[in-house]
Amino acid sequence: MKLLDAGGSRSTDFQSRFAREADLLARLSHPNVVAQYDRDE
């Protein structure tokens, strides 16, 4: 599980990067990479 801290969650740039990272992770399918099942605010 990855969470944003209070400071990062206020930055729209940081939120955008966090969402992009989650989108990219969701595409990965490999036995050595943990699967992403959900993302939320």
Side-chain angles (χ1 to χ4, degrees):
M1 180 179 292
K2 185 173 182 179
L3 303 171
L4 290 176
D5 67 356
S9 64
R10 282 183 237 127
S11 167
T12 55
D13 181 50
F14 197 78
Q15 290 174 3
S16 302
R17 289 185 293 156
F18 190 84
R20 182 172 180 265
E21 182 181 316
D23 291 341
L24 292 171
L25 176 62
R27 296 183 206 167
L28 295 177
S29 176
H30 190 276
N32 295 332
V33 177
V34 175
Q36 175 184 322
Y37 293 105
D38 195 12
R39 153 182 109 160
D40 198 0
E41 288 187 23

